[in-house]
Amino acid sequence: MLEIGVNGGGSLDMWRAYLGDKATIIGIDINPDCKQYESEGIEIFIGSQDDPNLIEEIFKKYPTISIVLDDGSHKMHHMNSSFELMYENLDINGVYIVEDTHTCYWPNFGGGLRQKDTFIEKAKDKVDELNAVHTKAKMAVSRFTKSTDSICFYDSMIVFERRPQGHRLALITKQMPDGS
């Protein structure tokens, strides 16, 4: 499991206890003081969550990360970059969780209601991408489409569940009144 945003280190220990002694917990934080929270089964990387070199280094060392929890800066450019850098590298049956998405509506975090570049708006676009096979070729089936099973929106949290998709068909075979 990889958690973006270590802060006081408490959640790393909590995840280790919850996931068990065999779990490896990875933390990312920009504050070098967070290295003090390393212990057996917990490794902290110092750097920015949107640094491609840091993310590449982590995935080289830990190629089968099953869970990513973004509890980092909550700024739009960080949330968007982290998702783009990590999602496709996540285990094929992994989970990507973004916390505190209420900041997508706050200008001081780069947010705003229905503002194009917020993480929440990008996640809404991913709903269409998830369902691309049903658009009758109006939207290309992407790697995201082929590798994502669900997107769940909660109060201030979005969860993406990866799972390889086979050939999907719409179960409704009768022609609709509008001709579709």
Side-chain angles (χ1 to χ4, degrees):
M1 175 181 184
L2 185 152
E3 183 171 10
I4 302 168
V6 172
N7 197 8
S11 62
L12 300 172
D13 290 327
M14 184 269 308
W15 285 118
R16 179 98 160 111
Y18 180 77
L19 296 171
D21 292 342
K22 293 181 181 175
T24 299
I25 310 300
I26 305 150
I28 298 175
D29 206 288
I30 58 170
N31 183 353
D33 292 341
C34 289
K35 279 295 248 185
Q36 70 181 306
Y37 303 117
E38 283 188 329
S39 62
E40 182 154 346
I42 298 175
E43 183 172 4
I44 310 296
F45 288 82
I46 303 303
S48 181
Q49 70 185 80
D50 67 343
D51 178 352
N53 295 323
L54 176 65
I55 303 309
E56 183 179 346
E57 176 187 346
I58 292 168
F59 277 95
K60 275 186 181 176
K61 185 168 184 180
Y62 299 103
T64 57
I65 295 173
S66 298
I67 303 167
V68 171
L69 174 62
D70 184 347
D71 191 17
S73 75
H74 312 304
K75 293 182 178 178
M76 296 310 106
H77 65 281
H78 285 148
M79 295 163 90
N80 290 327
S81 293
S82 297
F83 185 84
E84 292 302 319
L85 291 168
M86 293 185 210
Y87 188 75
E88 291 296 328
N89 291 309
L90 191 59
D91 185 74
I92 62 169
N93 292 302
V95 177
Y96 194 100
I97 305 163
V98 182
E99 288 188 346
D100 300 321
T101 55
H102 58 272
T103 62
C104 295
Y105 302 101
W106 295 357
N108 57 325
F109 284 83
L113 180 61
R114 294 188 184 93
Q115 186 171 308
K116 181 181 160 205
D117 291 331
T118 64
F119 186 78
I120 201 104
E121 291 301 321
K122 290 188 180 282
K124 289 177 189 178
D125 288 342
K126 290 293 186 188
V127 172
D128 290 334
E129 197 173 340
L130 176 68
N131 290 288
V133 295
H134 306 296
T135 67
K136 300 190 179 192
K138 291 179 182 160
M139 180 177 225
V141 172
S142 67
R143 288 179 61 186
F144 180 86
T145 307
K146 293 177 181 179
S147 68
T148 304
D149 188 53
S150 68
I151 306 169
C152 299
F153 289 79
Y154 299 95
D155 180 17
S156 202
M157 183 182 295
I158 303 172
V159 179
F160 298 82
E161 292 182 87
R162 287 178 51 93
R163 190 165 300 109
Q165 299 299 305
H167 184 68
R168 293 192 255 177
L169 296 172
L171 296 177
I172 300 171
T173 57
K174 185 173 138 182
Q175 188 168 355
M176 302 301 288
D178 67 358
S180 59

